[in-house]
């Protein structure tokens, strides 16, 4: 799944990219503020890239100043792992262990809440791309708890509900907007793809009226291009319950409503790589 050229970048130019290569290793359970910059230029052949997080330098912050890594305290709650000739980030959550609790819930996530290029506001039209590998994933069996694992979120600031998220649900992956009560399946059966890289794309027009949209596409193992799976149009996409000036992205593993008492799988691990934010109004 790796690109031929891997870079960690923050790009804010229609025809170029500003590459950030952090030289100070980030530690699990902490936010990092490392960053030495190196500028490079690339042709603009599509939407302008605002942010790319690819872990090529082997660091938890991928060289992005102020990228949130994880608030869980277990040393392996978040780690950088080898993936082919490069790296990815792994998030791990073990139910019943306080080391894998963050902000009062079983989760370990990275986030762009303090990264300007990783925030969204009303009026933005953006594309979010990311790759996911479900590591040593135990499949769901009939009779087990149906609670899902959230693997990617577009989150409103201030402790609000997310605008949208993608989650494993039984043996599928679903797209959901909880406030709008929208839910749709985007991967019908994950079992043939366990241990392999799956690629996702979410296009969003961020509006505070009913003119916005969500468009969800996937590129599964063996597929050469993205395929549109679900579209929700004429919806209010920026809809925090409490006032919020911006939203941001989160990826990793969040296991709401899951407990050992309900028979949920004790330990889950998920890999993420190639997280990108693109400006759909440019290119």
């Amino acid at each position: 799944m790796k690109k031929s050229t891997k870079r960690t970048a923050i790009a804010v130019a229609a025809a170029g990219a500003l590459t950030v290569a952090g030289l100070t290793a980030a530690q699990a359970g902490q936010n990092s503020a490392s960053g030495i910059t190196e500028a490079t230029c690339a042709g603009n052949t599509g939407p302008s890239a605002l942010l790319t997080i690819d872990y090529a330098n082997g660091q938890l912050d991928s060289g992005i100043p102020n990228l949130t890594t994880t608030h869980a305290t277990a040393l392996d709650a978040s780690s950088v792992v080898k993936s082919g000739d490069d790296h990815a980030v792994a998030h791990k959550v073990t139910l019943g262990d306080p080391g894998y609790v963050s902000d009062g819930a079983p989760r370990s996530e990275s986030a762009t809440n303090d990264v300007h290029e990783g925030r969204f506001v009303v009026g933005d039209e953006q594309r979010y791309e990311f790759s996911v590998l479900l590591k040593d994933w135990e499949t769901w069996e009939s009779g087990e708890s149906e609670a899902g694992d959230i693997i990617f979120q577009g989150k409103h600031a201030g402790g609000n509900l997310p605008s949208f998220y993608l989650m494993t649900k039984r043996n599928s992956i679903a797209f959901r907007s909880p406030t709008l009560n929208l839910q749709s399946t985007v991967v019908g059966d994950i079992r043939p793809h366990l241990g392999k890289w799956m690629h996702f794309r979410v296009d969003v027009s961020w509006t505070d009226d009913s003119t916005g949209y969500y468009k969800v596409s996937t590129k599964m193992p063996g597929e050469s291009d993205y395929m549109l799976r679900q579209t929700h149009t004429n919806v209010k996409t920026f809809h925090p319950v409490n006032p919020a000036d911006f939203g941001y992205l989160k990826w990793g593993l969040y296991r709401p409503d899951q407990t050992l008492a309900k028979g949920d799988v004790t330990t889950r691990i998920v890999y993420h790589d190639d997280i990108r934010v693109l400006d759909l109004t440019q290119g």
Side-chain angles (χ1 to χ4, degrees):
M1 59 75 71
K2 291 298 177 181
K3 304 186 290 290
S4 58
T5 301
K6 299 283 291 176
R7 291 187 177 93
T8 302
I10 299 176
V12 200
L18 177 64
T19 299
V20 177
L23 301 181
T24 303
Q27 298 300 314
Q30 300 177 355
N31 298 345
S32 172
S34 65
I36 304 288
T37 62
E38 172 188 323
T40 63
C41 291
N44 182 25
T45 58
S48 178
L50 301 175
L51 180 68
T52 298
I53 303 169
D54 61 16
Y55 300 98
N57 62 2
Q59 299 175 18
L60 277 178
D61 67 354
S62 195
I64 306 298
N66 300 320
L67 183 74
T68 298
T69 54
T70 182
H71 293 153
T73 58
L75 293 179
D76 61 350
S78 179
S79 60
V80 175
V81 297
K82 289 289 291 183
S83 176
D85 295 330
D86 219 309
H87 301 87
V89 67
H91 291 91
K92 174 182 176 181
V93 175
T94 297
L95 298 177
D97 187 327
Y100 301 94
V101 171
S102 174
D103 300 322
R107 58 183 157 192
S108 177
E109 296 173 296
S110 299
T112 62
N113 50 303
D114 290 326
V115 180
H116 174 74
E117 294 81 2
R119 294 180 172 188
F120 55 81
V121 298
V122 173
D124 285 343
E125 191 172 2
Q126 295 184 339
R127 168 171 293 169
Y128 310 114
E129 294 182 345
F130 59 98
S131 300
V132 172
L133 184 150
L134 303 177
K135 177 66 174 174
D136 300 328
W137 200 262
E138 292 187 43
T139 57
W140 178 85
E141 301 293 339
S142 179
E144 295 179 351
S145 171
E146 298 190 11
D149 300 275
I150 295 175
I151 57 176
F152 191 90
Q153 300 186 56
K155 186 80 164 62
H156 296 299
N160 282 283
L161 291 172
S163 168
F164 73 87
Y165 58 78
L166 285 103
M167 66 185 299
T168 63
K169 186 174 178 62
R170 298 188 289 273
N171 289 320
S172 67
I173 292 179
F175 171 89
R176 187 161 189 253
S177 180
T179 302
L180 299 180
N181 198 29
L182 297 175
Q183 182 166 303
S184 51
T185 298
V186 294
V187 180
D189 190 350
I190 61 174
R191 289 172 292 186
H193 311 303
L194 296 179
K196 302 176 184 178
W197 285 102
M198 299 177 284
H199 312 283
F200 295 85
R201 175 183 286 169
V202 182
D203 293 350
V204 187
S205 176
W206 292 109
T207 66
D208 56 4
D209 59 22
S210 297
T211 62
Y213 66 75
Y214 299 109
K215 299 177 182 179
V216 188
S217 303
T218 68
K219 184 170 67 172
M220 306 308 290
E223 296 179 348
S224 59
D225 206 351
Y226 283 92
M227 296 184 62
L228 182 64
R229 299 297 183 183
Q230 293 291 342
T231 299
H232 299 287
T233 57
N234 300 318
V235 292
K236 181 179 179 179
T237 52
F238 198 95
H239 48 61
V241 175
N242 302 309
D245 295 327
F246 67 92
Y248 59 96
L249 304 177
K250 299 179 76 175
W251 59 95
L253 194 57
Y254 176 26
R255 309 186 65 187
D257 302 321
Q258 296 196 30
T259 65
L260 295 176
K262 291 194 292 186
D264 290 301
V265 173
T266 303
T267 297
R268 293 283 200 200
I269 301 171
V270 62
Y271 292 178
H272 284 79
D273 199 5
D274 298 326
I275 298 99
R276 298 209 302 161
V277 179
L278 300 105
D279 183 358
L280 291 176
T281 69
Q282 301 291 327

